[in-house]
Structure formats: structure tokens, C-alpha cells
Amino acid sequence: VEQIAAISEETSATAEEVAASTSQVVNAVDSIAASSEEAAASAEEVSASTEETSASVQEIAAQAQSLSAMSEELDALVTNFNL
């Protein structure tokens, strides 16, 4: 009977250790999941910023082409102007 009681106590202690370890693992996984969610949100923000920057660069390029065309037209007009 004493051996059974000792084994029972050991089993109970081991079960408590397993429960504590399981709790630590769950907490670690929760932390990793939260970090992953934050990283995904940051990646989405970077992607949106990149798209906005790309659109701005395209707009600037279009405006530069327009200015270049206006400059060529002005050159042609000035060439035709005689004093």
C-alpha cells in the first residue's frame, strides 16, 4: 500500500510538471502567434506604402514628360520669334 501511495504521489507530481510545461508551451505559442500577427500587419503597411510611392513616382514621371513637351513647344515658339 505504501508503494502504491508513493507511486501515486510521483505520478501526481509528474502530472503537475507536465501541466506546468504545457502551460508554458501554450504561452510561448500564443506569444509567437502575436508576434506573427504584428509582423503580418507591418508587412501589409510596407506593401501599402510601396504602392503609394510607386503611384507617386509614376505621377512625377508623367508630369516630367508633360514639362518636357511644353519645353520643346516653347523652344519652337521662341525660335520662330524674331525681333
Side-chain angles (χ1 to χ4, degrees), residues 47-80:
S47 178
S49 294
T50 301
E51 288 179 17
E52 289 176 12
T53 301
S54 178
S56 295
V57 167
Q58 289 176 352
E59 185 178 334
I60 290 169
Q63 290 175 353
Q65 286 178 334
S66 177
L67 286 172
S68 177
M70 291 170 67
S71 174
E72 289 175 11
E73 183 180 342
L74 183 59
D75 264 349
L77 291 172
V78 168
T79 302
N80 292 332

Side-chain angles (χ1 to χ4, degrees), residues 25-52:
V25 169
V26 167
N27 289 339
V29 169
D30 285 345
S31 177
I32 291 169
S35 296
S36 295
E37 288 176 8
E38 290 175 13
S42 295
E44 286 180 15
E45 290 176 11
V46 168
S47 178
S49 294
T50 301
E51 288 179 17
E52 289 176 12

Side-chain angles (χ1 to χ4, degrees), residues 3-17:
Q3 287 179 336
I4 294 174
I7 292 172
S8 178
E9 286 180 20
E10 284 182 37
T11 303
S12 178
T14 302
E16 287 178 11
E17 289 176 13

